[in-house]
Amino acid sequence: MPELEAILLVGGQGTRLRPLTLGTPKPLLPTAGVPFLAHQLAQARAAGVRRIVFATSYRAEMFREAFGDGSRFGLTLEYMTEETPLGTGGAIRNAAEALTCGPDAPVVVLNGDILSGHDIADQVAWHVGRGAAVTLHLTEVDDPSRFGCVPTDDEGRVTAFLEKTPNPVTNRINAGCYVFTRSVIDSIPEGEVVSVERETFPGLIEAGALVLGYADASYWLDVGTPAAFVKGSRDLVLGRLASPALPGPAGDLLALPGAVISPEAKVAEGATVGARAVVEAGAKVTGSVLGDDCVIEAGAIVADSVVGTGARVASGAVLRDAVIGDGAVIGPGNELLAGSRVWPGVVLPECAVRFSSDV
Ligand code: GDD
Ligand code: MG
């Protein structure tokens, strides 16, 4: 059996995760102690993938800096960059130039912002066994209108692909992991902006090609929003999704090297404390991602939030579902709740932002 190859789509801008993604692409954000993609790379490797082509665009050079030739991960990594983003289909076509496999070989394609516990090797086996053109991993969500809605027939054959439709016909959605037969990728027009979701998949179905669904109910999450990003990190730390890339045993918290956590602080519910970060006595940090070198002062409360590298949260401040950019300072007594975002380097003076429900 020749080496299994994959393409990783990482060219998106990750706008919904600003300000986190102002300086770092979404797939490189520290998640449970390592760049997000480290979890996807480790899982792909465990499924038998040995060579991965990164389809990059936004801040392309940062991916090579982070992962190099891949030898640390037991993988061979290649990088293909689009001058201007070519969309998901154009990116796959462009990246395929760096594949080595023949026209009949299966190629795994992964969205670069997904945590999934499904069995990629079984999806590949299913694809090969049925001789499909493309096999899509499918999962069920409560709100399918934000995703690609994918109805199938009794044999698992995909009957339509409805990207972000306001009227989804099923809760089953495209989970962002495909197996393509290589020749199908080669049939995508070269050098053009193409969406697999809006053009390639509907076109294949229309033409009568065998597009299969591989449905399962394992752990699945798109980390495209701050709340989902925090949840993903927390679930990895807690071991709700096993990851070979987790830098330590799964448990209530993950403390990176040099982190200093007061014995009188509470850090729990899957929180990560970055390298050399400090959590002082009486502070309470739950389910959050604390960046390297940040400081949570005595008595501050940080719940389900992201605190950037080198940021400081002063005593008595309260953060819930908030995102604090790198180097920002949250002065004493501020309350930043649901969806608050503070841009890097901003200094909030004492009690500048308070929350009141009776307005
Ligand atoms: N190289 C490259 N070039 N990558 C791109 C481009 C591009 O022009 N556009 C998007 N990507 C990458 C993103 O970085 C991401 O990893 C992936 O393609 C999907 O793009 P998103 O922007 O995250 O799409 P989405 O989350 O709204 O929807 C997609 O994922 C859903 C599952 O999470 C679709 O595939 C939906 O059908 C699917 O349900
Ligand atoms: Mg996404």
Side-chain angles (χ1 to χ4, degrees):
M1 177 94 169
E3 273 192 349
L4 185 58
E5 295 182 299
I7 292 171
L8 191 53
L9 291 170
V10 288
Q13 290 222 16
T15 43
R16 288 171 297 172
L17 281 176
R18 282 183 192 154
L20 296 175
T21 47
L22 289 176
T24 308
K26 169 166 68 172
L28 296 182
L29 292 175
T31 312
V34 292
F36 179 82
L37 283 184
H39 300 289
Q40 278 189 311
L41 294 182
Q43 259 155 352
R45 190 181 190 288
V49 174
R50 289 293 175 270
R51 207 164 163 278
I52 302 185
V53 183
F54 280 50
T56 63
S57 175
Y58 176 66
R59 295 189 179 268
E61 69 296 342
M62 291 184 77
F63 291 94
R64 193 190 287 274
E65 283 162 24
F67 297 108
D69 66 2
S71 47
R72 268 187 298 145
F73 305 90
L75 291 162
T76 302
L77 300 181
E78 305 284 344
Y79 301 86
M80 292 294 282
T81 302
E82 302 138 54
E83 295 273 306
T84 55
L86 291 175
T88 47
I92 294 168
R93 176 69 178 85
N94 187 58
E97 298 294 321
L99 295 174
T100 61
C101 63
D104 298 329
V107 177
V108 177
V109 177
L110 300 157
N111 282 357
D113 60 350
I114 303 292
L115 287 175
S116 176
H118 86 287
D119 185 341
I120 298 174
D122 194 48
Q123 184 184 350
V124 173
W126 174 255
H127 172 89
V128 172
R130 297 273 303 267
V134 188
T135 301
L136 316 180
H137 175 219
L138 307 180
T139 190
E140 280 190 18
V141 294
D142 293 337
D143 178 11
S145 65
R146 296 191 296 121
F147 300 97
C149 173
V150 185
T152 54
D153 69 13
D154 294 345
E155 269 90 55
R157 187 178 187 128
V158 173
T159 54
F161 194 107
L162 311 158
E163 182 68 7
K164 311 218 167 89
T165 172
N167 302 307
V169 292
T170 166
N171 284 44
R172 207 164 259 186
I173 59 131
N174 167 29
C177 173
Y178 320 121
V179 184
F180 274 82
T181 296
R182 163 78 195 261
S183 58
V184 175
I185 297 180
D186 293 336
S187 72
I188 297 172
E190 198 183 346
E192 287 177 26
V193 177
V194 179
S195 159
V196 278
E197 296 88 346
R198 296 181 193 276
E199 297 166 71
T200 312
F201 296 147
L204 286 167
I205 295 162
E206 177 86 356
L210 180 56
V211 179
L212 275 185
Y214 178 87
D216 86 332
S218 58
Y219 182 98
W220 186 85
L221 187 70
D222 174 327
V223 299
T225 63
F229 173 71
V230 169
K231 177 174 163 38
S233 183
R234 184 184 67 204
D235 288 347
L236 286 161
V237 171
L238 291 171
R240 288 183 185 154
L241 174 65
S243 169
L246 188 70
D252 225 22
L253 79 155
L254 174 66
L256 297 181
V260 180
I261 302 172
S262 160
E264 278 99 57
K266 178 186 170 186
V267 180
E269 294 173 36
T272 298
V273 182
R276 300 168 303 279
V278 176
V279 182
E280 294 181 357
K284 202 171 146 194
V285 178
T286 49
S288 299
V289 182
L290 305 186
D292 295 346
D293 301 298
C294 72
V295 178
I296 312 298
E297 291 185 1
I301 295 176
V302 180
D304 300 326
S305 297
V306 183
V307 179
T309 305
R312 174 176 285 267
V313 180
S315 63
V318 176
L319 308 180
R320 288 188 207 284
D321 301 311
V323 176
I324 310 302
D326 295 347
V329 177
I330 309 302
N334 284 291
E335 290 177 310
L336 300 177
L337 308 189
S340 305
R341 293 168 195 212
V342 177
W343 250 238
V346 167
V347 178
L348 273 190
E350 181 165 358
C351 297
V353 181
R354 308 285 292 176
F355 179 78
S356 168
S357 59
D358 49 48
V359 276

